[in-house]
Amino acid sequence: MSTMTKMTTDVRFETFLANIRLTPEQRSDGQTKHSGIRTCLNERYYNLSSASANSLLVGSWGKSTEVRPPRDIDLLFVLPASVKARLDARPWGTNAQSELLQEVKRMLEKSYPRTTMRGDGQVVVVSFSSFAVEVVPAFKEIGVLYETGKYLVCDTNGGGSWKVTHPTAEAEHVKSSEDKTRNTRDLIRMAKTWQSYCSVPLKSFQLELLAVKFLTSWEHAGKSTVYYDWMMRDFFAFLIAHANSLLNYVKVPGTDEMLWLGTEWKSRAQSAFARASKACEYETSGKAFDAGWEWQKIFGDDMPLS
């Protein structure tokens, strides 16, 4: 394939990153959607008109790792302690967590009667046409067992249970890595684009934790976008190593919960590594178009050719 107009590695990756960021219009639309949900639940549960109280953005919107096309907006809403007491008073064997999701769903349906909703595991999914908002009902627990910043969230599976989560610690985990390297959020966004384009069976949260872990030991961490071709190549190699049974997990910040990664994604990581290695060789030899062609096999058309 002939070489066309040359594109340097840094310009290629800076253009790619700009292409996968939310547009101002998408960000404004998302803001409108999650603010409306927060206002609705504050009115229903606290008789309070507020688009921010008793709630916080978690997931990509809480960690500034959003990508386009738009994905779900994760919203944790803290319910009054009286609701938890009411649920705890239910007869033994009742799936209180399922009842909670259905209750929150009913509260939202009063304000959004034409919007499709469902309770799903730990969240109520409000499916707007542009964004879906995933509402995580939560209770704040402070005491010997639960520190400030930790929450109880519901899990309807297996008859129902409560799980501990620490969203502040999760967000700080990403921020701390970003402050040290200035590469973390870029790597997470690119990994999520690969995940979507190549249908990789890894969760975004798992990729986020893997990205932070990778950058703690990558020799070029903190360097500019000139090194991003190597960063992606080496990250895919890092992922492949984690298919090994001794490394096949990540720990959740704040709770130390172990998330097992499985191996279903290994072949896709191997393919991405092979293509990234070839792209790096093309970048080094000045074959910009050929490099772009290989990168597009990993990331799609948002990666420029030349």
Side-chain angles (χ1 to χ4, degrees), residues 204-234:
S204 297
F205 187 37
Q206 293 171 323
L207 283 171
E208 170 192 306
L209 296 175
L210 286 162
V212 173
K213 186 176 180 181
F214 165 73
L215 288 171
T216 60
S217 59
W218 189 51
E219 61 180 321
H220 301 296
K223 293 185 178 177
S224 73
T225 50
V226 172
Y227 287 81
Y228 276 21
D229 56 338
W230 289 4
M231 182 169 75
M232 294 314 308
R233 177 199 62 192
D234 296 348

PDB file of all heavy atoms in Angstrom, residues 204-234:
ATOM      1  N   SER A 204     -16.065  -2.178  31.215  1.00  0.00           N
ATOM      2  CA  SER A 204     -15.327  -0.917  31.232  1.00  0.00           C
ATOM      3  C   SER A 204     -14.594  -0.716  32.556  1.00  0.00           C
ATOM      4  O   SER A 204     -13.461  -0.231  32.585  1.00  0.00           O
ATOM      5  CB  SER A 204     -16.280   0.254  30.983  1.00  0.00           C
ATOM      6  OG  SER A 204     -16.860   0.172  29.704  1.00  0.00           O
ATOM      7  N   PHE A 205     -15.236  -1.092  33.660  1.00  0.00           N
ATOM      8  CA  PHE A 205     -14.614  -0.936  34.972  1.00  0.00           C
ATOM      9  C   PHE A 205     -13.370  -1.800  35.089  1.00  0.00           C
ATOM     10  O   PHE A 205     -12.347  -1.383  35.653  1.00  0.00           O
ATOM     11  CB  PHE A 205     -15.626  -1.300  36.057  1.00  0.00           C
ATOM     12  CG  PHE A 205     -15.147  -1.020  37.463  1.00  0.00           C
ATOM     13  CD1 PHE A 205     -14.379   0.099  37.762  1.00  0.00           C
ATOM     14  CD2 PHE A 205     -15.493  -1.873  38.499  1.00  0.00           C
ATOM     15  CE1 PHE A 205     -13.958   0.364  39.060  1.00  0.00           C
ATOM     16  CE2 PHE A 205     -15.078  -1.622  39.798  1.00  0.00           C
ATOM     17  CZ  PHE A 205     -14.303  -0.505  40.077  1.00  0.00           C
ATOM     18  N   GLN A 206     -13.409  -3.001  34.523  1.00  0.00           N
ATOM     19  CA  GLN A 206     -12.236  -3.864  34.533  1.00  0.00           C
ATOM     20  C   GLN A 206     -11.107  -3.259  33.709  1.00  0.00           C
ATOM     21  O   GLN A 206      -9.933  -3.250  34.135  1.00  0.00           O
ATOM     22  CB  GLN A 206     -12.604  -5.247  33.989  1.00  0.00           C
ATOM     23  CG  GLN A 206     -13.564  -6.022  34.885  1.00  0.00           C
ATOM     24  CD  GLN A 206     -14.076  -7.284  34.233  1.00  0.00           C
ATOM     25  OE1 GLN A 206     -14.335  -7.328  33.018  1.00  0.00           O
ATOM     26  NE2 GLN A 206     -14.247  -8.339  35.012  1.00  0.00           N
ATOM     27  N   LEU A 207     -11.425  -2.724  32.546  1.00  0.00           N
ATOM     28  CA  LEU A 207     -10.413  -2.082  31.707  1.00  0.00           C
ATOM     29  C   LEU A 207      -9.810  -0.875  32.416  1.00  0.00           C
ATOM     30  O   LEU A 207      -8.600  -0.622  32.328  1.00  0.00           O
ATOM     31  CB  LEU A 207     -11.024  -1.648  30.378  1.00  0.00           C
ATOM     32  CG  LEU A 207     -11.263  -2.767  29.357  1.00  0.00           C
ATOM     33  CD1 LEU A 207     -12.072  -2.228  28.181  1.00  0.00           C
ATOM     34  CD2 LEU A 207      -9.946  -3.352  28.863  1.00  0.00           C
ATOM     35  N   GLU A 208     -10.631  -0.126  33.123  1.00  0.00           N
ATOM     36  CA  GLU A 208     -10.162   1.038  33.877  1.00  0.00           C
ATOM     37  C   GLU A 208      -9.129   0.627  34.923  1.00  0.00           C
ATOM     38  O   GLU A 208      -8.052   1.236  35.029  1.00  0.00           O
ATOM     39  CB  GLU A 208     -11.362   1.695  34.537  1.00  0.00           C
ATOM     40  CG  GLU A 208     -11.058   2.775  35.538  1.00  0.00           C
ATOM     41  CD  GLU A 208     -12.299   3.132  36.334  1.00  0.00           C
ATOM     42  OE1 GLU A 208     -13.324   3.447  35.702  1.00  0.00           O
ATOM     43  OE2 GLU A 208     -12.247   3.080  37.581  1.00  0.00           O
ATOM     44  N   LEU A 209      -9.447  -0.408  35.686  1.00  0.00           N
ATOM     45  CA  LEU A 209      -8.525  -0.872  36.721  1.00  0.00           C
ATOM     46  C   LEU A 209      -7.247  -1.443  36.111  1.00  0.00           C
ATOM     47  O   LEU A 209      -6.146  -1.244  36.644  1.00  0.00           O
ATOM     48  CB  LEU A 209      -9.211  -1.927  37.593  1.00  0.00           C
ATOM     49  CG  LEU A 209     -10.411  -1.427  38.405  1.00  0.00           C
ATOM     50  CD1 LEU A 209     -11.085  -2.591  39.133  1.00  0.00           C
ATOM     51  CD2 LEU A 209      -9.992  -0.367  39.403  1.00  0.00           C
ATOM     52  N   LEU A 210      -7.381  -2.130  34.997  1.00  0.00           N
ATOM     53  CA  LEU A 210      -6.205  -2.668  34.313  1.00  0.00           C
ATOM     54  C   LEU A 210      -5.321  -1.552  33.764  1.00  0.00           C
ATOM     55  O   LEU A 210      -4.088  -1.642  33.807  1.00  0.00           O
ATOM     56  CB  LEU A 210      -6.644  -3.609  33.184  1.00  0.00           C
ATOM     57  CG  LEU A 210      -7.180  -4.968  33.635  1.00  0.00           C
ATOM     58  CD1 LEU A 210      -7.981  -5.626  32.522  1.00  0.00           C
ATOM     59  CD2 LEU A 210      -6.036  -5.876  34.092  1.00  0.00           C
ATOM     60  N   ALA A 211      -5.936  -0.482  33.264  1.00  0.00           N
ATOM     61  CA  ALA A 211      -5.166   0.642  32.728  1.00  0.00           C
ATOM     62  C   ALA A 211      -4.333   1.306  33.818  1.00  0.00           C
ATOM     63  O   ALA A 211      -3.143   1.612  33.620  1.00  0.00           O
ATOM     64  CB  ALA A 211      -6.101   1.660  32.085  1.00  0.00           C
ATOM     65  N   VAL A 212      -4.939   1.522  34.981  1.00  0.00           N
ATOM     66  CA  VAL A 212      -4.207   2.128  36.089  1.00  0.00           C
ATOM     67  C   VAL A 212      -3.058   1.222  36.521  1.00  0.00           C
ATOM     68  O   VAL A 212      -1.932   1.678  36.746  1.00  0.00           O
ATOM     69  CB  VAL A 212      -5.156   2.413  37.279  1.00  0.00           C
ATOM     70  CG1 VAL A 212      -4.358   2.872  38.495  1.00  0.00           C
ATOM     71  CG2 VAL A 212      -6.184   3.466  36.896  1.00  0.00           C
ATOM     72  N   LYS A 213      -3.339  -0.058  36.622  1.00  0.00           N
ATOM     73  CA  LYS A 213      -2.299  -1.020  37.034  1.00  0.00           C
ATOM     74  C   LYS A 213      -1.153  -1.051  36.028  1.00  0.00           C
ATOM     75  O   LYS A 213       0.026  -1.077  36.404  1.00  0.00           O
ATOM     76  CB  LYS A 213      -2.927  -2.410  37.181  1.00  0.00           C
ATOM     77  CG  LYS A 213      -1.989  -3.459  37.746  1.00  0.00           C
ATOM     78  CD  LYS A 213      -2.725  -4.778  37.947  1.00  0.00           C
ATOM     79  CE  LYS A 213      -1.790  -5.842  38.526  1.00  0.00           C
ATOM     80  NZ  LYS A 213      -2.508  -7.147  38.692  1.00  0.00           N
ATOM     81  N   PHE A 214      -1.484  -1.042  34.751  1.00  0.00           N
ATOM     82  CA  PHE A 214      -0.465  -1.050  33.695  1.00  0.00           C
ATOM     83  C   PHE A 214       0.470   0.150  33.814  1.00  0.00           C
ATOM     84  O   PHE A 214       1.695   0.020  33.723  1.00  0.00           O
ATOM     85  CB  PHE A 214      -1.155  -1.059  32.333  1.00  0.00           C
ATOM     86  CG  PHE A 214      -0.265  -0.724  31.171  1.00  0.00           C
ATOM     87  CD1 PHE A 214       0.684  -1.618  30.714  1.00  0.00           C
ATOM     88  CD2 PHE A 214      -0.387   0.506  30.516  1.00  0.00           C
ATOM     89  CE1 PHE A 214       1.511  -1.314  29.638  1.00  0.00           C
ATOM     90  CE2 PHE A 214       0.421   0.822  29.446  1.00  0.00           C
ATOM     91  CZ  PHE A 214       1.380  -0.084  28.998  1.00  0.00           C
ATOM     92  N   LEU A 215      -0.108   1.322  34.032  1.00  0.00           N
ATOM     93  CA  LEU A 215       0.697   2.540  34.048  1.00  0.00           C
ATOM     94  C   LEU A 215       1.577   2.670  35.290  1.00  0.00           C
ATOM     95  O   LEU A 215       2.523   3.467  35.294  1.00  0.00           O
ATOM     96  CB  LEU A 215      -0.209   3.765  33.915  1.00  0.00           C
ATOM     97  CG  LEU A 215      -0.821   3.957  32.522  1.00  0.00           C
ATOM     98  CD1 LEU A 215      -1.875   5.063  32.535  1.00  0.00           C
ATOM     99  CD2 LEU A 215       0.260   4.273  31.486  1.00  0.00           C
ATOM    100  N   THR A 216       1.310   1.888  36.325  1.00  0.00           N
ATOM    101  CA  THR A 216       2.181   1.946  37.503  1.00  0.00           C
ATOM    102  C   THR A 216       3.568   1.384  37.202  1.00  0.00           C
ATOM    103  O   THR A 216       4.534   1.721  37.893  1.00  0.00           O
ATOM    104  CB  THR A 216       1.576   1.157  38.687  1.00  0.00           C
ATOM    105  OG1 THR A 216       1.408  -0.219  38.308  1.00  0.00           O
ATOM    106  CG2 THR A 216       0.254   1.745  39.103  1.00  0.00           C
ATOM    107  N   SER A 217       3.677   0.567  36.163  1.00  0.00           N
ATOM    108  CA  SER A 217       4.974  -0.051  35.871  1.00  0.00           C
ATOM    109  C   SER A 217       5.462   0.172  34.440  1.00  0.00           C
ATOM    110  O   SER A 217       6.578  -0.233  34.101  1.00  0.00           O
ATOM    111  CB  SER A 217       4.903  -1.563  36.147  1.00  0.00           C
ATOM    112  OG  SER A 217       3.893  -2.175  35.350  1.00  0.00           O
ATOM    113  N   TRP A 218       4.640   0.800  33.597  1.00  0.00           N
ATOM    114  CA  TRP A 218       5.075   1.012  32.205  1.00  0.00           C
ATOM    115  C   TRP A 218       6.217   2.025  32.180  1.00  0.00           C
ATOM    116  O   TRP A 218       6.127   3.102  32.782  1.00  0.00           O
ATOM    117  CB  TRP A 218       3.902   1.516  31.360  1.00  0.00           C
ATOM    118  CG  TRP A 218       4.197   1.563  29.893  1.00  0.00           C
ATOM    119  CD1 TRP A 218       4.708   0.578  29.125  1.00  0.00           C
ATOM    120  CD2 TRP A 218       3.995   2.688  29.016  1.00  0.00           C
ATOM    121  NE1 TRP A 218       4.836   0.984  27.819  1.00  0.00           N
ATOM    122  CE2 TRP A 218       4.403   2.283  27.723  1.00  0.00           C
ATOM    123  CE3 TRP A 218       3.504   3.979  29.208  1.00  0.00           C
ATOM    124  CZ2 TRP A 218       4.343   3.132  26.622  1.00  0.00           C
ATOM    125  CZ3 TRP A 218       3.431   4.813  28.101  1.00  0.00           C
ATOM    126  CH2 TRP A 218       3.848   4.405  26.838  1.00  0.00           C
ATOM    127  N   GLU A 219       7.290   1.700  31.493  1.00  0.00           N
ATOM    128  CA  GLU A 219       8.505   2.516  31.549  1.00  0.00           C
ATOM    129  C   GLU A 219       8.345   3.899  30.935  1.00  0.00           C
ATOM    130  O   GLU A 219       9.111   4.818  31.262  1.00  0.00           O
ATOM    131  CB  GLU A 219       9.663   1.787  30.853  1.00  0.00           C
ATOM    132  CG  GLU A 219       9.418   1.510  29.369  1.00  0.00           C
ATOM    133  CD  GLU A 219      10.592   0.787  28.724  1.00  0.00           C
ATOM    134  OE1 GLU A 219      11.748   1.129  29.077  1.00  0.00           O
ATOM    135  OE2 GLU A 219      10.353  -0.122  27.896  1.00  0.00           O
ATOM    136  N   HIS A 220       7.344   4.087  30.073  1.00  0.00           N
ATOM    137  CA  HIS A 220       7.160   5.389  29.425  1.00  0.00           C
ATOM    138  C   HIS A 220       5.973   6.173  29.993  1.00  0.00           C
ATOM    139  O   HIS A 220       5.542   7.153  29.378  1.00  0.00           O
ATOM    140  CB  HIS A 220       6.991   5.200  27.924  1.00  0.00           C
ATOM    141  CG  HIS A 220       8.149   4.511  27.272  1.00  0.00           C
ATOM    142  ND1 HIS A 220       9.416   5.058  27.231  1.00  0.00           N
ATOM    143  CD2 HIS A 220       8.232   3.292  26.651  1.00  0.00           C
ATOM    144  CE1 HIS A 220      10.231   4.234  26.603  1.00  0.00           C
ATOM    145  NE2 HIS A 220       9.541   3.157  26.247  1.00  0.00           N
ATOM    146  N   ALA A 221       5.472   5.744  31.137  1.00  0.00           N
ATOM    147  CA  ALA A 221       4.349   6.463  31.750  1.00  0.00           C
ATOM    148  C   ALA A 221       4.731   7.914  31.999  1.00  0.00           C
ATOM    149  O   ALA A 221       5.842   8.213  32.444  1.00  0.00           O
ATOM    150  CB  ALA A 221       3.959   5.796  33.071  1.00  0.00           C
ATOM    151  N   GLY A 222       3.813   8.809  31.677  1.00  0.00           N
ATOM    152  CA  GLY A 222       4.068  10.233  31.846  1.00  0.00           C
ATOM    153  C   GLY A 222       4.568  10.924  30.600  1.00  0.00           C
ATOM    154  O   GLY A 222       4.666  12.158  30.573  1.00  0.00           O
ATOM    155  N   LYS A 223       4.866  10.149  29.555  1.00  0.00           N
ATOM    156  CA  LYS A 223       5.388  10.751  28.326  1.00  0.00           C
ATOM    157  C   LYS A 223       4.238  11.153  27.403  1.00  0.00           C
ATOM    158  O   LYS A 223       3.090  10.789  27.596  1.00  0.00           O
ATOM    159  CB  LYS A 223       6.358   9.793  27.641  1.00  0.00           C
ATOM    160  CG  LYS A 223       7.636   9.571  28.462  1.00  0.00           C
ATOM    161  CD  LYS A 223       8.641   8.718  27.728  1.00  0.00           C
ATOM    162  CE  LYS A 223       9.918   8.567  28.555  1.00  0.00           C
ATOM    163  NZ  LYS A 223      10.911   7.685  27.901  1.00  0.00           N
ATOM    164  N   SER A 224       4.571  11.891  26.374  1.00  0.00           N
ATOM    165  CA  SER A 224       3.577  12.534  25.516  1.00  0.00           C
ATOM    166  C   SER A 224       2.907  11.546  24.566  1.00  0.00           C
ATOM    167  O   SER A 224       3.234  10.354  24.527  1.00  0.00           O
ATOM    168  CB  SER A 224       4.246  13.642  24.700  1.00  0.00           C
ATOM    169  OG  SER A 224       5.055  13.067  23.681  1.00  0.00           O
ATOM    170  N   THR A 225       1.996  12.076  23.756  1.00  0.00           N
ATOM    171  CA  THR A 225       1.267  11.257  22.787  1.00  0.00           C
ATOM    172  C   THR A 225       2.174  10.656  21.711  1.00  0.00           C
ATOM    173  O   THR A 225       1.745   9.757  20.997  1.00  0.00           O
ATOM    174  CB  THR A 225       0.164  12.095  22.109  1.00  0.00           C
ATOM    175  OG1 THR A 225       0.725  13.332  21.641  1.00  0.00           O
ATOM    176  CG2 THR A 225      -0.968  12.411  23.073  1.00  0.00           C
ATOM    177  N   VAL A 226       3.402  11.118  21.612  1.00  0.00           N
ATOM    178  CA  VAL A 226       4.362  10.500  20.689  1.00  0.00           C
ATOM    179  C   VAL A 226       4.530   9.016  21.021  1.00  0.00           C
ATOM    180  O   VAL A 226       4.795   8.193  20.137  1.00  0.00           O
ATOM    181  CB  VAL A 226       5.727  11.227  20.755  1.00  0.00           C
ATOM    182  CG1 VAL A 226       6.779  10.476  19.969  1.00  0.00           C
ATOM    183  CG2 VAL A 226       5.586  12.645  20.225  1.00  0.00           C
ATOM    184  N   TYR A 227       4.338   8.663  22.285  1.00  0.00           N
ATOM    185  CA  TYR A 227       4.549   7.294  22.750  1.00  0.00           C
ATOM    186  C   TYR A 227       3.263   6.479  22.778  1.00  0.00           C
ATOM    187  O   TYR A 227       3.282   5.326  23.219  1.00  0.00           O
ATOM    188  CB  TYR A 227       5.154   7.313  24.162  1.00  0.00           C
ATOM    189  CG  TYR A 227       6.604   7.725  24.193  1.00  0.00           C
ATOM    190  CD1 TYR A 227       6.965   9.069  24.154  1.00  0.00           C
ATOM    191  CD2 TYR A 227       7.625   6.781  24.249  1.00  0.00           C
ATOM    192  CE1 TYR A 227       8.299   9.463  24.176  1.00  0.00           C
ATOM    193  CE2 TYR A 227       8.965   7.159  24.273  1.00  0.00           C
ATOM    194  CZ  TYR A 227       9.287   8.506  24.241  1.00  0.00           C
ATOM    195  OH  TYR A 227      10.604   8.888  24.258  1.00  0.00           O
ATOM    196  N   TYR A 228       2.160   7.025  22.294  1.00  0.00           N
ATOM    197  CA  TYR A 228       0.884   6.333  22.460  1.00  0.00           C
ATOM    198  C   TYR A 228       0.755   5.085  21.590  1.00  0.00           C
ATOM    199  O   TYR A 228      -0.034   4.189  21.920  1.00  0.00           O
ATOM    200  CB  TYR A 228      -0.275   7.302  22.211  1.00  0.00           C
ATOM    201  CG  TYR A 228      -0.646   8.116  23.431  1.00  0.00           C
ATOM    202  CD1 TYR A 228       0.260   8.294  24.486  1.00  0.00           C
ATOM    203  CD2 TYR A 228      -1.900   8.705  23.553  1.00  0.00           C
ATOM    204  CE1 TYR A 228      -0.075   9.038  25.599  1.00  0.00           C
ATOM    205  CE2 TYR A 228      -2.244   9.454  24.676  1.00  0.00           C
ATOM    206  CZ  TYR A 228      -1.331   9.618  25.689  1.00  0.00           C
ATOM    207  OH  TYR A 228      -1.666  10.353  26.800  1.00  0.00           O
ATOM    208  N   ASP A 229       1.485   5.015  20.505  1.00  0.00           N
ATOM    209  CA  ASP A 229       1.455   3.764  19.743  1.00  0.00           C
ATOM    210  C   ASP A 229       2.079   2.637  20.561  1.00  0.00           C
ATOM    211  O   ASP A 229       1.535   1.538  20.660  1.00  0.00           O
ATOM    212  CB  ASP A 229       2.153   3.923  18.391  1.00  0.00           C
ATOM    213  CG  ASP A 229       3.593   4.425  18.499  1.00  0.00           C
ATOM    214  OD1 ASP A 229       3.962   5.040  19.528  1.00  0.00           O
ATOM    215  OD2 ASP A 229       4.362   4.222  17.537  1.00  0.00           O
ATOM    216  N   TRP A 230       3.197   2.930  21.216  1.00  0.00           N
ATOM    217  CA  TRP A 230       3.827   1.939  22.088  1.00  0.00           C
ATOM    218  C   TRP A 230       2.946   1.647  23.292  1.00  0.00           C
ATOM    219  O   TRP A 230       2.891   0.509  23.759  1.00  0.00           O
ATOM    220  CB  TRP A 230       5.199   2.434  22.561  1.00  0.00           C
ATOM    221  CG  TRP A 230       6.250   2.452  21.491  1.00  0.00           C
ATOM    222  CD1 TRP A 230       6.089   2.151  20.180  1.00  0.00           C
ATOM    223  CD2 TRP A 230       7.624   2.795  21.663  1.00  0.00           C
ATOM    224  NE1 TRP A 230       7.275   2.297  19.500  1.00  0.00           N
ATOM    225  CE2 TRP A 230       8.235   2.689  20.395  1.00  0.00           C
ATOM    226  CE3 TRP A 230       8.394   3.194  22.756  1.00  0.00           C
ATOM    227  CZ2 TRP A 230       9.591   2.960  20.198  1.00  0.00           C
ATOM    228  CZ3 TRP A 230       9.745   3.455  22.562  1.00  0.00           C
ATOM    229  CH2 TRP A 230      10.333   3.342  21.298  1.00  0.00           C
ATOM    230  N   MET A 231       2.291   2.680  23.809  1.00  0.00           N
ATOM    231  CA  MET A 231       1.439   2.480  24.980  1.00  0.00           C
ATOM    232  C   MET A 231       0.334   1.468  24.681  1.00  0.00           C
ATOM    233  O   MET A 231       0.082   0.556  25.479  1.00  0.00           O
ATOM    234  CB  MET A 231       0.831   3.804  25.441  1.00  0.00           C
ATOM    235  CG  MET A 231      -0.029   3.666  26.699  1.00  0.00           C
ATOM    236  SD  MET A 231      -0.517   5.248  27.443  1.00  0.00           S
ATOM    237  CE  MET A 231      -1.789   5.778  26.289  1.00  0.00           C
ATOM    238  N   MET A 232      -0.317   1.613  23.527  1.00  0.00           N
ATOM    239  CA  MET A 232      -1.389   0.684  23.197  1.00  0.00           C
ATOM    240  C   MET A 232      -0.838  -0.714  22.933  1.00  0.00           C
ATOM    241  O   MET A 232      -1.408  -1.707  23.398  1.00  0.00           O
ATOM    242  CB  MET A 232      -2.181   1.181  21.989  1.00  0.00           C
ATOM    243  CG  MET A 232      -2.953   2.464  22.222  1.00  0.00           C
ATOM    244  SD  MET A 232      -3.902   2.519  23.778  1.00  0.00           S
ATOM    245  CE  MET A 232      -4.858   1.009  23.701  1.00  0.00           C
ATOM    246  N   ARG A 233       0.259  -0.804  22.211  1.00  0.00           N
ATOM    247  CA  ARG A 233       0.862  -2.122  21.954  1.00  0.00           C
ATOM    248  C   ARG A 233       1.204  -2.823  23.265  1.00  0.00           C
ATOM    249  O   ARG A 233       0.865  -3.995  23.472  1.00  0.00           O
ATOM    250  CB  ARG A 233       2.130  -1.939  21.115  1.00  0.00           C
ATOM    251  CG  ARG A 233       2.908  -3.226  20.815  1.00  0.00           C
ATOM    252  CD  ARG A 233       4.331  -2.906  20.398  1.00  0.00           C
ATOM    253  NE  ARG A 233       5.081  -2.228  21.462  1.00  0.00           N
ATOM    254  CZ  ARG A 233       6.263  -1.638  21.293  1.00  0.00           C
ATOM    255  NH1 ARG A 233       6.819  -1.610  20.082  1.00  0.00           N
ATOM    256  NH2 ARG A 233       6.882  -1.066  22.311  1.00  0.00           N
ATOM    257  N   ASP A 234       1.858  -2.099  24.164  1.00  0.00           N
ATOM    258  CA  ASP A 234       2.297  -2.700  25.422  1.00  0.00           C
ATOM    259  C   ASP A 234       1.119  -2.987  26.352  1.00  0.00           C
ATOM    260  O   ASP A 234       1.164  -3.935  27.142  1.00  0.00           O
ATOM    261  CB  ASP A 234       3.308  -1.782  26.114  1.00  0.00           C
ATOM    262  CG  ASP A 234       4.592  -1.613  25.314  1.00  0.00           C
ATOM    263  OD1 ASP A 234       4.791  -2.379  24.344  1.00  0.00           O
ATOM    264  OD2 ASP A 234       5.395  -0.717  25.646  1.00  0.00           O
TER     265      ASP A 234
END
